Amino acid sequence: MGRVTERRPVIRITDGAMSSRPDTLVAEEPLEIRLNGKPLTVTMRTPGDDFALAAGFLVSEGVIGSAEELATIVYCGGARDEGGNTYNVVDVRLAPGVPVPDVSLERNVYTTSSCGLCGKASLDAVRTTARWRLDAGRPREVTTGLLSALPDRLRAAQRVFDRTGGLHAAGLFSPEGELLDVREDVGRHNAVDKLVGNAVRAGGLPLRDALLMVSGRASFELVQKAVMAGVPLLAAVSAPSSLAVDLAEEAGLTLVGFLRGASMNIYTGAHRLLLPAPTG
């Protein structure tokens, strides 16, 4: 679908001079995810990779962890009153025998800072639903020099960002720094879900041999998604939240923030990195 970007008129002021021209904007539309025909959630996303987004979301919720647990993912026809398809509603059908969670306001994993639950409850929810332990996870002995190269490699792969300047990105890298997959979205959590969804549908979970790099900050939600997908290392160009660091420590995740050039902060899991000699 060609709905990733849209054109809008704009008045531009440059050095005191005014001109009119069309501008390219990133598209943002709601996606309703249904589970076995019942509404589960609605997220605002950039259209594209919707099936992967839905699958990745279910991984982060602890509903699935392998391709065998998925039966079908389809767009729901007749989503408009007049019968047309908006391509904004998907229905995920689980394979026979896969437990269907209670589709209600009380979710398996608490994903938002506004859920009204304490930090300990959020940490406990992830710990009890995560399928893979990260304490034995790789990559091991990754150099800080390799990490320093990841933001530029991720930025170079952001094709839609070059046209709009309005998208977050998430990329999976090998321990040698090779870009394995990249996804863009108006929401960084959606970009990660698209990565994880592609991986689970290809039978690639857990992602024990991958590094996850995200634009922006490292929230509790992004750390949760990394842990649920079995990713041992998450790096972000901006700051983590306190609860994100707590969860990373609890789960054994290596969490790197403020990754900019040769500078970075290592909040947890330094044992997986080859660190330079201390100064002073």
Side-chain angles (χ1 to χ4, degrees):
M1 294 179 295
R3 297 157 52 212
V4 176
T5 62
E6 298 180 6
R7 301 283 279 176
R8 293 289 190 274
V10 62
I11 296 174
R12 173 168 289 184
I13 309 296
T14 305
D15 296 328
M18 185 181 73
S19 62
S20 298
R21 52 164 291 179
D23 192 26
T24 301
L25 304 178
V26 61
E28 183 177 21
E29 297 180 11
L31 179 70
E32 178 183 329
I33 300 173
R34 297 176 182 175
L35 185 60
N36 285 10
K38 295 183 179 180
L40 176 64
T41 190
V42 176
T43 184
M44 300 302 296
R45 97 300 188 194
T46 301
D49 294 320
D50 290 335
F51 292 177
L53 172 57
F57 178 81
L58 292 179
V59 171
S60 69
E61 293 292 305
V63 178
I64 64 170
S66 68
E68 292 73 24
E69 294 174 302
L70 284 171
T72 60
I73 306 178
V74 298
Y75 285 108
C76 296
R80 296 183 190 274
D81 292 338
E82 63 273 19
N85 199 324
T86 63
Y87 295 98
N88 282 336
V89 181
V90 299
D91 184 29
V92 183
R93 298 280 171 166
L94 300 179
V98 177
V100 180
D102 177 26
V103 181
S104 67
L105 293 179
E106 291 193 58
R107 305 288 289 282
N108 295 322
V109 177
Y110 309 119
T111 58
T112 67
S113 59
S114 60
C115 63
L117 295 161
C118 69
K120 185 178 185 301
S122 300
L123 298 178
D124 288 346
V126 177
R127 183 176 62 248
T128 56
T129 55
R131 298 195 181 197
W132 300 286
R133 294 179 60 88
L134 300 184
D135 52 5
R138 293 177 290 177
R140 297 186 183 278
E141 298 186 343
V142 171
T143 68
T144 54
L146 184 147
L147 289 180
S148 296
L150 298 188
D152 287 343
R153 293 177 186 175
L154 180 64
R155 176 66 183 82
Q158 289 187 256
R159 294 178 296 174
V160 181
F161 183 90
D162 288 336
R163 289 184 282 154
T164 66
L167 282 176
H168 289 289
L172 284 177
F173 292 85
S174 73
E176 294 72 40
E178 175 190 1
L179 180 62
L180 304 174
D181 195 7
V182 61
R183 291 292 180 268
E184 294 177 282
D185 198 278
V186 287
R188 65 177 64 88
H189 58 290
N190 289 336
V192 173
D193 277 342
K194 289 176 179 181
L195 282 179
V196 173
N198 280 330
V200 70
R201 295 175 74 202
L205 295 191
L207 292 166
R208 289 196 177 100
D209 294 316
L211 317 174
L212 176 59
M213 175 76 212
V214 297
S215 62
R217 66 188 183 89
S219 64
F220 169 83
E221 185 177 18
L222 293 190
V223 171
Q224 169 202 312
K225 291 179 184 298
V227 171
M228 297 299 287
V231 177
L233 187 150
L234 170 63
V237 300
S238 193
S241 67
S242 60
L243 193 57
V245 174
D246 290 343
L247 177 56
E249 184 72 39
E250 169 89 15
L253 177 80
T254 298
L255 180 60
V256 179
F258 291 107
L259 180 52
R260 301 168 184 176
S263 300
M264 68 194 74
N265 288 349
I266 302 165
Y267 292 90
T268 62
H271 63 281
R272 290 194 180 92
L273 303 175
L274 277 177
L275 303 177
T279 60

